[in-house]
Amino acid sequence: MSREILFKAKHIHASEENEYLDRKWIEGYLCDKNYIYSPELEGQFLIDENTICQYTGLIDKNGRKIFEGDIVLVDGEDEYFAVEWDNDTARFIMNSETLIVDFDNYWNYQVVVIGNVFDNPELLEGGTK
């Protein structure tokens, strides 16, 4: 069995040549707690270690990769869910103010990524759509 072990994190501006990437999401392979190697951008980029999110191995109904820290909406539910790692069960879960849902309970065509906890925290404040 093979799966992609990817991460994303926000870039920290370190040099003038990549200033346009400052605070943008960089996706790729984690080199250490401060750098991600992006095959797409062909280089290592300094990142904010507080924004590191691991790829769950799943995609949403639009074909978008679902990462830890994403906020998702699930068909049939009236709440927004934050994608989190659960140490007790050693798997990714969807967590709202009132409900914890396992990804095993939904097909990818029932889930859509609508933001993330870093850029859109207000989505989780009310809890419902």
Side-chain angles (χ1 to χ4, degrees), residues 106-126:
Y106 291 95
W107 297 99
N108 65 334
Y109 64 81
Q110 294 175 297
V111 178
V112 64
V113 174
I114 57 168
N116 64 67
V117 299
F118 302 100
D119 296 332
N120 315 101
E122 71 281 357
L123 293 175
L124 296 174
E125 290 170 6

Side-chain angles (χ1 to χ4, degrees), residues 11-118:
H11 177 267
I12 297 174
H13 171 62
S15 65
E16 289 186 27
E17 62 198 32
N18 61 18
E19 182 177 7
Y20 69 98
L21 292 172
D22 192 32
R23 305 306 302 165
K24 299 262 195 273
W25 288 98
I26 303 292
E27 183 180 309
Y29 304 102
L30 197 60
C31 299
D32 66 27
K33 68 178 186 171
N34 296 318
Y35 287 91
I36 283 183
Y37 173 77
S38 171
E40 181 183 336
L41 299 171
E42 299 179 347
Q44 284 188 21
F45 295 89
L46 182 63
I47 56 167
D48 177 351
E49 67 182 87
N50 296 315
T51 63
I52 296 172
C53 303
Q54 186 173 355
Y55 176 45
T56 64
L58 304 169
I59 58 171
D60 73 358
K61 65 182 177 183
N62 298 319
R64 186 173 174 183
K65 291 176 182 165
I66 302 174
F67 284 85
E68 175 184 19
D70 281 343
I71 298 172
V72 297
L73 189 56
V74 179
D75 288 349
E77 299 291 341
D78 290 329
E79 298 179 89
Y80 296 115
F81 294 85
V83 176
E84 300 174 353
W85 177 256
D86 182 39
N87 281 327
D88 293 335
T89 60
R91 61 179 157 188
F92 289 101
I93 59 169
M94 295 177 283
N95 191 2
S96 74
E97 287 185 345
T98 62
L99 186 64
I100 295 175
V101 179
D102 185 11
F103 275 102
D104 293 344
N105 295 325
Y106 291 95
W107 297 99
N108 65 334
Y109 64 81
Q110 294 175 297
V111 178
V112 64
V113 174
I114 57 168
N116 64 67
V117 299
F118 302 100

